[in-house]
Amino acid sequence: MIWLELAIIRRAMIGCALTGFLTGLIGVFVVRMRLTSIGYSMSHGAFAGAALGVAVSANPLSTSILFSAVTALLIGPVADKARLSQDTITSIAFPLNMALAFIFLALSPQIGLSSEVASVLWGSVISISNSDILYLAILCITASILIHFFWKELFTIMFDRRLAEADGINTKPFVYLMIFLIGIVITLSIKLVGGLLVFALLFNTASTTLQFLQDMKKIVLFSPIAGSAMCVSGLVASLAFDLPVGSCIVLVSTIAFAVSILLSPKRKRKEVKESS
Amino acid sequence: MDGRDGKIIRVENVSTTYEGEKRPAIRGVNLALENGELVYLVGPNAAGKTTLLETINGLQPVSKGEVSVLGLDVRGHGSVVRKEIGYVPQDFMVEALEPYTALDVAMMGRYAKMGVLRRPEKEDFKKAMEALGLLGVEELACKPVGKLSGGQQQKVMISRALAKEPKVLLLDEPFSNLDPSSRQEVSALVCRLNEERKMATIVVTHDIRQIPERCRRIVVMNGGRIVADESPEKALAALESCQNIGAEEAVP
């Protein structure tokens, strides 16, 4: 029995480390490319998809990927074609996805708050399977390779999208690529952190790292490490206090962000400059 | 890539209307620049100067008429054309905590031209450093650009445009944050580079004192139209009359 528990914990640890790596990495682009409202809508799209999977007794991962892809299409190319602003489309997509998620959960054949429904809502350690670990590992490698190859374009877009466009960089494919990556990362993270909280992980880790470093390359290298550390710490807290793992991870990352604001050398320098 | 009749920039009867607006910001504009020509674009506020620059580089879609740069229609070849244009936007300021150095910003001028998947080489860094050197800010290369003064940031942005080694240079109020001596230096540098590199150059300014003596052509805009496209003496008289009209209109 103890071997089984150890195997689950080991899998959860690896899952947390990989999820933290991905959310830390992609989160930098979410924050710097000002895709926060898009990320928020995408996370709730994935949540609605996972809820649909539970309702129709299908694999929540597949339905979550489907919903993420549809939300990404709506927010990206469709919104651009219809000339809708990001604010408008995300304001429509967010409540729509939440409404669908609650309808799907209400239609779920399982009685009460089953473990599957609970894991969709706020994540679960035991729901991480070996195949989830494999998908997360493949995505870590794929995302890192894509970012490496398109670094100079993404770097320029992160500085200012309009200026990048003025330089002759066709920014749309890179922004769409990032929207789709956000969707997949959220989908794969939902089992661990839960649909309601996954977005916080994308935002908190990157924002924390941005407080300490002044070099974009270092930020992109360090943020995944910080993300892994936060997720594993959240898991340890969850096991120690028998609390939902998603909530613990988000609490740890929020505390880390609050501490970073207090200790940020960049902010201190700014305050000194302002007072002098 | 040269335009027909040797015109590098050709703007023909162009109108540009911003989304949601009924009235065009520029109307019936005609303008042509030859290789290596230097033009100062002047006019009162809201004359349409910035809109004209953004229409030339394809950032603002043309509602009517045609714009071609280096012989290519900007509507169909926007990204290709913009790779050959060095553009400095008006009042572009970087926030203090932004994680970019001055060299990072200058290097961005090289990136678009390199093409996707190509990695920057020593030569690219050399060109970016040279561009920073031209503006006298090479010693600030490793400093966070957001921590630089407004004038230094403006010089870094001009370096970014020059690092690209463009065939066309579009500068929108490039001297606005500079102190008087720097204005003269940068203005002289723009003239020198225009001559040496044969770049078709348009400089937008609302301050006619910044127009160098070497400039032989001034375009005056008012109310979204070009009202004069002349030698400095005649153009400045036209500008004066625009400003008088503006002042009279402003009197209740």
Side-chain angles (χ1 to χ4, degrees):
Chain A
M1 192 64 184
I2 194 158
W3 289 111
L4 181 66
E5 279 180 14
L6 279 176
I8 291 172
I9 291 171
R10 197 184 62 209
R11 214 160 45 210
M13 284 278 182
I14 299 169
C16 277
L18 293 173
T19 303
F21 181 95
L22 274 172
T23 49
L25 180 66
I26 299 300
V28 175
F29 297 89
V30 170
V31 175
R32 292 296 321 168
M33 287 165 87
R34 293 174 181 88
L35 299 174
T36 40
S37 57
I38 285 179
Y40 202 56
S41 291
M42 297 287 296
S43 65
H44 290 87
F47 174 49
L52 175 67
V54 172
V56 298
S57 301
N59 178 4
L61 182 65
S62 316
T63 47
S64 189
I65 287 175
L66 178 74
F67 260 68
S68 284
V70 171
T71 310
L73 275 174
L74 272 177
I75 291 172
V78 175
D80 277 348
K81 270 267 181 266
R83 291 195 291 180
L84 291 170
S85 71
Q86 256 183 32
D87 276 351
T88 307
I89 192 71
T90 51
S91 302
I92 301 285
F94 165 63
L96 172 69
N97 281 326
M98 284 301 277
L100 287 173
F102 291 134
I103 287 171
F104 295 146
L105 289 177
L107 294 175
S108 167
Q110 294 160 44
I111 303 159
L113 203 59
S114 70
S115 64
E116 206 167 357
V117 173
S119 81
V120 166
L121 280 171
W122 49 70
S124 158
V125 173
I126 52 166
S127 65
I128 299 280
S129 65
N130 283 333
S131 56
D132 291 329
I133 302 271
L134 180 68
Y135 296 147
L136 282 167
I138 291 171
L139 189 55
C140 280
I141 295 166
T142 312
S144 302
I145 290 173
L146 285 171
I147 288 166
H148 173 75
F149 279 119
F150 299 132
W151 173 250
K152 65 182 193 303
E153 286 78 15
L154 293 168
F155 183 68
T156 310
I157 295 168
M158 281 193 285
F159 180 66
D160 188 273
R161 186 175 172 185
R162 196 170 159 77
L163 257 185
E165 197 73 46
D167 274 344
I169 293 174
N170 188 3
T171 61
K172 272 185 188 169
F174 298 103
V175 174
Y176 293 165
L177 169 75
M178 209 36 80
I179 291 175
F180 277 94
L181 273 178
I182 294 166
I184 300 169
V185 168
I186 285 170
T187 303
L188 290 181
S189 309
I190 226 167
K191 268 192 170 179
L192 189 74
V193 193
L196 293 176
L197 299 172
V198 66
F199 177 71
L201 204 49
L202 272 175
F203 187 79
N204 290 357
T205 314
S207 301
T208 303
T209 316
L210 280 161
Q211 297 304 319
F212 288 104
L213 298 168
Q214 193 83 57
D215 181 323
M216 214 48 221
K217 268 188 186 158
K218 283 183 190 159
I219 288 166
V220 169
L221 288 173
F222 188 73
S223 186
I225 298 167
S228 292
M230 285 179 202
C231 274
V232 171
S233 309
L235 174 67
V236 171
S238 151
L239 293 171
F241 301 109
D242 194 21
L243 291 169
V245 62
S247 308
C248 289
I249 290 174
V250 170
L251 276 178
V252 167
S253 68
T254 309
I255 291 167
F257 177 66
V259 172
S260 77
I261 294 288
L262 293 173
L263 300 180
S264 167
K266 284 160 89 175
R267 286 180 179 273
K268 274 186 188 157
R269 277 203 292 270
K270 194 184 175 198
E271 279 158 18
V272 168
K273 197 178 170 188
E274 275 166 5
S275 62
S276 60
Chain B
M1 265 203 300
D2 273 6
R4 60 192 151 103
D5 315 329
K7 303 291 184 195
I8 295 293
I9 298 173
R10 185 176 283 279
V11 178
E12 286 177 332
N13 198 26
V14 162
S15 298
T16 302
T17 310
Y18 286 100
E19 206 173 309
E21 298 283 327
K22 283 183 183 160
R23 212 177 144 190
I26 56 171
R27 299 173 272 179
V29 171
N30 288 290
L31 184 71
L33 260 81
E34 286 174 9
N35 206 2
E37 199 170 359
L38 173 67
V39 170
Y40 266 71
L41 185 57
V42 296
N45 288 338
K49 307 182 293 289
T50 297
T51 308
L52 178 57
L53 281 203
E54 293 193 345
T55 305
I56 290 170
N57 71 12
L59 286 180
Q60 285 302 333
V62 178
S63 317
K64 209 176 122 193
E66 263 182 46
V67 178
S68 64
V69 177
L70 301 160
L72 296 170
D73 189 330
V74 292
R75 268 181 292 205
H77 305 87
S79 295
V80 181
V81 163
R82 285 194 286 273
K83 285 186 197 334
E84 301 297 339
I85 298 177
Y87 173 59
V88 176
Q90 189 178 4
D91 289 334
F92 187 89
M93 293 299 286
V94 182
E95 283 175 29
L97 298 180
E98 292 286 287
Y100 297 91
T101 63
L103 180 60
D104 286 337
V105 176
M107 277 299 289
M108 287 176 202
R110 307 284 310 159
Y111 289 161
K113 232 177 167 175
M114 270 180 218
V116 181
L117 299 179
R118 222 205 89 193
R119 315 294 301 169
E121 290 165 9
K122 268 187 187 170
E123 185 68 11
D124 297 304
F125 284 101
K126 200 179 137 201
K127 294 256 160 80
M129 281 305 290
E130 272 173 16
L132 288 169
L134 281 170
L135 274 296
V137 285
E138 73 269 44
E139 76 279 8
L140 304 173
C142 297
K143 294 252 191 275
V145 72
K147 299 266 167 86
L148 304 181
S149 70
Q152 288 168 330
Q153 285 196 32
Q154 205 155 28
K155 286 180 178 178
V156 172
M157 291 306 290
I158 298 170
S159 303
R160 174 184 164 130
L162 294 175
K164 202 173 184 180
E165 297 183 309
K167 291 182 176 147
V168 173
L169 192 58
L170 305 177
L171 307 174
D172 196 351
E173 301 279 6
F175 318 119
S176 56
N177 288 316
L178 303 179
D179 57 66
S181 68
S182 290
R183 278 179 194 180
Q184 280 195 341
E185 277 172 31
V186 176
S187 174
L189 175 73
V190 170
C191 280
R192 180 163 65 82
L193 292 176
N194 162 259
E195 209 166 62
E196 285 172 10
R197 297 188 183 181
K198 299 283 171 221
M199 298 178 287
T201 306
I202 302 179
V203 184
V204 168
T205 182
H206 66 271
D207 184 356
I208 53 169
R209 288 168 302 179
Q210 290 164 11
I211 300 173
E213 276 180 21
R214 202 192 78 79
C215 176
R216 299 313 316 145
R217 187 178 170 195
I218 295 177
V219 172
V220 183
M221 286 191 82
N222 192 24
R225 292 180 187 278
I226 289 182
V227 293
D229 183 353
E230 313 259 8
S231 61
E233 300 75 30
K234 288 179 184 171
L236 293 178
L239 178 66
E240 207 168 309
S241 74
C242 289
Q243 281 164 343
N244 287 340
I245 292 165
E248 280 164 23
E249 280 172 357
V251 175

